[in-house]
Amino acid sequence: MGKEDLPPATPPATGDGKTDHELPGYSSARTDRGVLRSEHVYTLETGSKPKAWLLLKVNSKAKDPKSLPLFFDNDKITGKVELDLEKTEHIQGVTLTVSETLQVGQDPVPFYSQVITLWSTEMGDPKNPTPVPEVGGSKSKVKAASPKLKGTYSWDFSITLPEETQASDTPKGPKRTFPLPPSFTERGSAAYVDYKLTVTIKRGSFRVDNTLATSVAHYPRRRPPPPSDLQRASYIDGGQMVGPDADPAGWKVLPPVKIQGTLFDTKQVEVEVSLALGTPLIFSLNSPVPLWITLKSADPQLLDLLSTPSSFLIRLKRTLAVGPDASDNNREERSDTTFPQVAGRGIVWPLSETQGSAETSAAGGERVLQGEVNIAATTKISFVFPRVSLRYAVELLPFAAAGFTTTAPPGVPLISQHIEVVTDPVEGLPPRSRAPPGYVAKAEAEYDNAIGVLTAANQRFLHFHQSMG
């Protein structure tokens, strides 16, 4: 497929030499989303004999406590902050912040932040603090505590990640509502989205605060809507796909295109190509995108040549967009703000090789084929957000058939259709390939591989910072 003119979407590597798809941390979508499976512990240490005096403990759904804490949309981030002070220290308060930062180029931009106060002198006894009333509430009668602390202290916390946030495409632009994007980072990427959990020990005026922070993996979960009744029945019964003529509700039929060319350097020919994708145009990780292809021509020799599976060049294109117009679906694709890659390949087979179909594969002047493009489990899910977006499209490229020379420009799609990639399959319909034996080997992969976040070993996105007070 050398005519595609796009680089392959090879698994990006992290700072410790591992590729993203080797990293642990994403719990399978088949697991109960309420299950917390790991406790992650982060510390600050002092003294000639290092001893942890500040601990951040985070409960998450990650399989491995050594990986980043993992959360889904609307999850509660729970855990505790602990102090173990051997000598008296001046501390005015302890806060916990969950934040989202987007970086394009060298300039990080915070888009979301939520702060809770675990303890402050206004809340009284640090071992049994009283919450400070909200603005406008009755004034607290709690006696302020001394900022001089010594010994052990512990505060539980719980913060809920929202589904949406307000953000703007430019610093002074109007804010709009967007779903929180997933964590996103790749080596050499033009952008990243980083969620961070930060504990701050507030020392007061003229003193330097201490902070302890870790990145956390945020992964919005979503399922596609169900397919048409006929397609659903074929999945359940294990039957073959029903085509667009018999099931128009189950397909998105794209406008056909006509391609001219020369056959065996002797005669001018023309073929009309029609491509349909299974609907809805939302597909889960580790699932196939169903294809239905129709060729029409007055030349039977051309039809026979082009209807061979090896003649088709079909790809899943991934496009990372950055910049102030990244959230615009109709944006102009410029080379300095648009980064396309090949994220998958399509396969095609003659309709005659799938038994039980009510539609014929060959008729006068027509050939019908089925196909699919597999969305690997390592694929990053689609998202649209100010300054950075990730989109996918299924594209049919000019034919690559020996003996046929087309006038269509190489590498330029004949037909293209945007699709959305989400985490989980349709409820009750596990994804499966429809390809006949021998056309494709089903890849086995875990959902843990799908999230592109870094392990605790990658210091670019996992920061422990201590400032001396």
Side-chain angles (χ1 to χ4, degrees):
M1 303 181 76
K3 296 181 180 180
E4 295 188 46
D5 296 334
L6 289 181
T10 53
T14 68
D16 59 2
K18 295 182 179 180
T19 56
D20 279 2
H21 75 290
E22 295 173 331
L23 299 178
Y26 176 51
S27 80
S28 169
R30 294 181 292 274
T31 303
D32 182 357
R33 67 174 294 158
V35 175
L36 297 174
R37 300 197 290 181
S38 293
E39 181 184 66
H40 312 259
V41 180
Y42 309 100
T43 63
L44 283 182
E45 301 176 348
T46 56
S48 57
K49 295 181 179 180
K51 177 185 176 181
W53 66 272
L54 172 61
L55 294 87
L56 169 61
K57 298 181 178 180
V58 186
N59 305 312
S60 92
K61 298 186 172 98
K63 288 182 178 180
D64 187 349
K66 294 180 181 179
S67 67
L68 292 182
L70 172 67
F71 302 97
F72 303 126
D73 48 308
N74 274 335
D75 270 352
K76 287 185 177 180
I77 301 178
T78 62
K80 62 177 57 180
V81 173
E82 298 179 355
L83 286 179
D84 186 359
L85 306 174
E86 291 186 330
K87 62 180 182 179
T88 301
E89 297 197 33
H90 187 101
I91 297 176
Q92 292 280 9
V94 181
T95 63
L96 184 76
T97 304
V98 59
S99 59
E100 174 213 349
T101 299
L102 182 152
Q103 182 158 339
V104 178
Q106 301 299 316
D107 301 320
V109 178
F111 272 99
Y112 168 78
S113 180
Q114 183 180 351
V115 183
I116 60 173
T117 299
L118 301 178
W119 174 79
S120 69
T121 54
E122 294 177 314
M123 297 168 66
D125 184 359
K127 292 184 179 291
N128 187 27
T130 301
V132 176
E134 296 181 1
V135 177
S138 58
K139 188 174 181 180
S140 175
K141 297 181 180 179
V142 177
K143 181 180 178 180
S146 168
K148 295 181 179 181
L149 302 185
K150 181 181 180 181
T152 59
Y153 304 87
S154 178
W155 300 279
D156 294 332
F157 63 82
S158 177
I159 301 180
T160 301
L161 286 172
E163 289 186 347
E164 300 175 331
T165 188
Q166 294 284 314
S168 60
D169 296 294
T170 58
K172 296 183 179 180
K175 289 189 174 182
R176 295 180 289 154
T177 300
F178 290 89
L180 280 183
S183 299
F184 178 83
T185 178
E186 292 177 339
R187 186 180 65 179
S189 175
Y192 74 81
V193 179
D194 185 33
Y195 289 85
K196 197 178 300 304
L197 198 61
T198 305
V199 179
T200 302
I201 306 298
K202 295 183 175 295
R203 299 287 185 174
S205 302
F206 307 110
R207 291 179 171 89
V208 180
D209 296 339
N210 299 98
T211 60
L212 170 61
T214 176
S215 292
V216 299
H218 171 245
Y219 212 60
R221 292 180 66 174
R222 183 182 168 199
R223 296 183 186 273
S228 67
D229 290 342
L230 287 177
Q231 297 296 352
R232 185 181 183 91
S234 71
Y235 269 106
I236 294 174
D237 298 338
Q240 297 301 323
M241 290 186 288
V242 181
D245 290 344
D247 183 24
W251 296 89
K252 168 75 172 180
V253 181
L254 303 174
V257 295
K258 292 183 178 180
I259 305 168
Q260 293 79 33
T262 304
L263 186 62
F264 300 122
D265 294 326
T266 58
K267 57 180 176 180
Q268 300 297 308
V269 290
E270 181 180 84
V271 62
E272 181 183 275
V273 185
S274 176
L275 174 65
L277 276 67
T279 59
L281 299 175
I282 304 172
F283 303 93
S284 69
L285 301 173
N286 207 22
S287 73
V289 179
L291 308 175
W292 194 275
I293 303 170
T294 304
L295 304 178
K296 295 182 180 180
S297 177
D299 192 303
Q301 189 178 23
L302 176 64
L303 285 177
D304 289 341
L305 179 66
L306 297 185
S307 60
T308 58
S310 60
S311 297
F312 286 86
L313 299 178
I314 301 174
R315 71 188 179 195
L316 177 66
K317 185 179 78 170
R318 187 193 95 156
T319 302
L320 176 66
V322 300
D325 61 350
S327 65
D328 183 358
N329 289 327
N330 299 314
R331 65 189 294 276
E332 178 186 354
E333 294 193 353
R334 301 189 305 272
S335 60
D336 59 335
T337 59
T338 305
F339 305 92
Q341 290 181 316
V342 177
R345 313 282 183 174
I347 59 169
V348 172
W349 59 90
L351 186 61
S352 58
E353 296 201 19
T354 56
Q355 302 301 316
S357 174
E359 302 185 47
T360 60
S361 63
E366 181 177 299
R367 300 288 188 275
V368 179
L369 302 98
Q370 295 182 29
E372 62 188 30
V373 177
N374 185 61
I375 299 175
T378 53
T379 304
K380 309 288 178 62
I381 62 173
S382 307
F383 68 91
V384 175
F385 201 72
R387 304 193 190 190
V388 60
S389 297
L390 193 66
R391 298 178 175 89
Y392 292 90
V394 173
E395 297 183 336
L396 173 65
L397 300 171
F399 292 95
F404 176 66
T405 304
T406 176
T407 58
V412 178
L414 301 171
I415 302 175
S416 179
Q417 175 61 51
H418 287 283
I419 66 169
E420 189 173 351
V421 177
V422 297
T423 53
D424 294 55
V426 175
E427 188 74 42
L429 289 180
R432 68 178 183 87
S433 172
R434 305 292 190 92
Y439 276 86
V440 64
K442 185 176 181 180
E444 297 294 333
E446 280 229 72
Y447 280 76
D448 291 63
N449 298 333
I451 186 165
V453 297
L454 305 183
T455 60
N458 187 347
Q459 295 302 309
R460 179 181 177 189
F461 294 100
L462 180 60
H463 308 284
F464 297 149
H465 172 69
Q466 178 182 11
S467 299
M468 299 303 295

